[in-house]
Amino acid sequence: MKLLKEKTYKEKRSVFISYLFEVENIQDSKDVISSLKEKNSGAKHFLYALLLKEYSLAREDGEPIKSMSLLLKEMERKKLFNKMIVVIRYYGGVNLGASNLARVYLDISKELIKEY
């Protein structure tokens, strides 16, 4: 696994950290999540989209949105195989609302892949 990009965004006291990784297999993706959870133990949500040539997965981690599913479709359209996007959210105490939350997750994720 290799970290390709990282971006941080703040919205109403919540902090979102997004990562783009190059991964070779499912075990790499598990290692990425495990490592990020260890390094960010105070974060509330770890959402991700994973696209391998023969496997794909989107996880919303309890958030009431479908941003990672939409992102996965964008990754498929761009043929971004062996890539994984992870977005970590540190909850800032202010509810963003589902539509605003979905927009934030999708926007910061798309920012990572816009040059592909």
Side-chain angles (χ1 to χ4, degrees):
M1 73 187 143
K2 178 181 175 185
L3 177 62
L4 302 175
K5 279 187 176 180
E6 179 180 342
K7 188 168 183 65
T8 301
Y9 180 79
K10 294 180 183 179
E11 178 81 18
K12 295 184 181 178
R13 298 192 330 223
S14 283
V15 176
F16 299 82
I17 307 168
S18 59
Y19 301 90
L20 174 62
F21 286 93
E22 187 168 3
V23 294
E24 295 299 320
N25 51 50
I26 295 170
Q27 187 58 51
D28 277 357
S29 70
K30 291 178 180 180
D31 292 345
V32 164
I33 294 298
S34 179
S35 175
L36 289 175
K37 284 186 174 184
E38 187 177 304
K39 291 176 185 174
N40 297 277
S41 60
K44 296 296 181 194
H45 299 282
F46 294 80
L47 288 73
Y48 63 90
L50 168 66
L51 182 61
L52 301 173
K53 288 185 180 174
E54 298 154 6
Y55 181 81
S56 64
L57 180 64
R59 292 284 173 156
E60 309 294 345
D61 195 26
E63 292 282 40
I65 55 170
K66 297 291 182 217
S67 295
M68 295 297 109
S69 298
L70 295 172
L71 177 62
L72 186 56
K73 288 179 184 177
E74 180 73 8
M75 291 169 71
E76 289 169 345
R77 187 184 69 75
K78 291 186 170 203
K79 297 181 179 13
L80 296 178
F81 297 110
N82 293 351
K83 301 291 186 288
M84 179 179 191
I85 292 179
V86 182
V87 183
I88 298 170
R89 179 183 182 198
Y90 284 88
Y91 181 64
V94 176
N95 288 332
L96 301 179
S99 63
N100 195 31
L101 189 59
R103 178 193 55 80
V104 170
Y105 278 121
L106 199 53
D107 287 353
I108 62 175
S109 299
K110 281 185 170 182
E111 184 70 25
L112 292 175
I113 61 172
K114 73 178 183 181
E115 65 189 41
Y116 288 94

